[in-house]
Amino acid sequence: MGANSVLTDNSRLSRSDQLLFRLESLLTLLGGIVILLLVFIATTNILGRWIFSLPISGYVDWVEQSMAFFAFLGIAYTQRQGGHIRMDILVSHLHGRRLWAVELLSAFLMLLVTLVLIYGSYLHFYRAYNIGDSSLGINLPTWPAKLVVPFALTILAIRLVLQCWGYIRAIRQRTDQPVAVPLIEDAASVAAAEADSVMGNESKGDGEHN
């Protein structure tokens, strides 16, 4: 499933969606910055080893600890945009209330799984914090990276709650264009959106429609 459109209006749901989306966008930006820093560190490490025979101390430790940041900080943003891998073979043939009911069930089950993961990952962080767990190379504390996981999953859980709210609202209103949830787009629409992105054309606004 590609990056799909998310419609907006002046409802409380839509305002909550847009507020959370700002936080999700910021976290995704931070994840991107971490990747950029990793590229810089890797380049410096390679050049330092090659030219001065002086690699960065604890390079592997820094890479290992940073992986949690760029792997998890964008997970809620991707869910909001409908960017996670999923199967639309059956869902694409559904319409109206049946479609939203199936999407609601999927989002609810995902929420349950996420809550379990939050609990488990928080315990993992708490143990690392209590025992002073550190990396093998330069003894970097591991708890900051482990804290990122339950934090990012909590943001995802909030996103899933909003999407469940959106699907319930769509079922009640019998609408084909609900707000605050990613809408399934056909292949032609996805291709057109990707072409506009490549050409540098900006949309008139997130979720704007006639």
Side-chain angles (χ1 to χ4, degrees):
M1 187 175 187
N4 299 330
S5 59
V6 179
L7 305 182
T8 61
D9 60 17
N10 293 321
S11 65
R12 182 183 301 176
L13 170 61
S14 184
R15 292 197 300 270
S16 300
D17 162 66
Q18 294 175 68
L19 180 62
L20 182 60
F21 184 58
R22 294 191 186 98
L23 175 59
E24 293 166 338
S25 300
L26 176 60
L27 293 177
T28 303
L29 176 61
L30 291 177
I33 292 174
V34 170
I35 294 176
L36 180 62
L37 291 176
L38 276 181
V39 172
F40 175 76
I41 292 175
T43 303
T44 304
N45 182 64
I46 293 172
L47 292 178
R49 182 186 297 272
W50 178 45
I51 299 175
F52 304 106
S53 297
L54 187 64
I56 295 178
S57 177
Y59 169 72
V60 175
D61 295 48
W62 286 108
V63 172
E64 289 177 346
Q65 299 306 307
S66 64
M67 290 178 65
F69 290 85
F70 65 78
F72 285 92
L73 287 181
I75 191 171
Y77 176 92
T78 307
Q79 175 65 26
R80 197 267 187 178
Q81 297 296 83
H84 288 300
I85 297 175
R86 51 175 284 172
M87 294 296 295
D88 286 336
I89 296 177
L90 297 178
V91 177
S92 61
H93 295 288
L94 300 177
H95 302 282
R97 300 181 72 182
R98 291 182 179 179
L99 172 60
W100 308 137
V102 171
E103 295 286 8
L104 173 60
L105 177 61
S106 299
F108 180 72
L109 292 177
M110 190 184 304
L111 175 61
L112 294 181
V113 173
T114 301
L115 293 176
V116 173
L117 293 175
I118 291 172
Y119 177 74
S121 60
Y122 176 79
L123 290 181
H124 195 48
F125 147 74
Y126 190 69
R127 284 194 298 269
Y129 181 79
N130 277 340
I131 67 176
D133 187 35
S134 61
S135 62
L136 296 177
I138 58 174
N139 296 321
L140 283 178
T142 62
W143 67 262
K146 293 180 179 180
L147 179 60
V148 169
V149 180
F151 171 75
L153 290 176
T154 299
I155 303 300
L156 174 61
I158 298 173
R159 167 55 58 192
L160 290 170
V161 169
L162 287 181
Q163 290 188 344
C164 287
W165 181 5
Y167 291 127
I168 292 173
R169 185 172 182 263
I171 293 173
R172 289 179 176 178
Q173 295 182 349
R174 299 176 180 268
T175 179
D176 291 330
Q177 294 185 319
V179 300
V181 296
L183 301 180
I184 299 176
E185 297 180 344
D186 55 32
S189 299
V190 173
E194 291 177 351
D196 288 341
S197 177
V198 171
M199 295 299 294
N201 297 330
E202 296 183 354
S203 61
K204 295 181 180 179
D206 181 26
E208 182 178 342
H209 63 287
N210 294 328

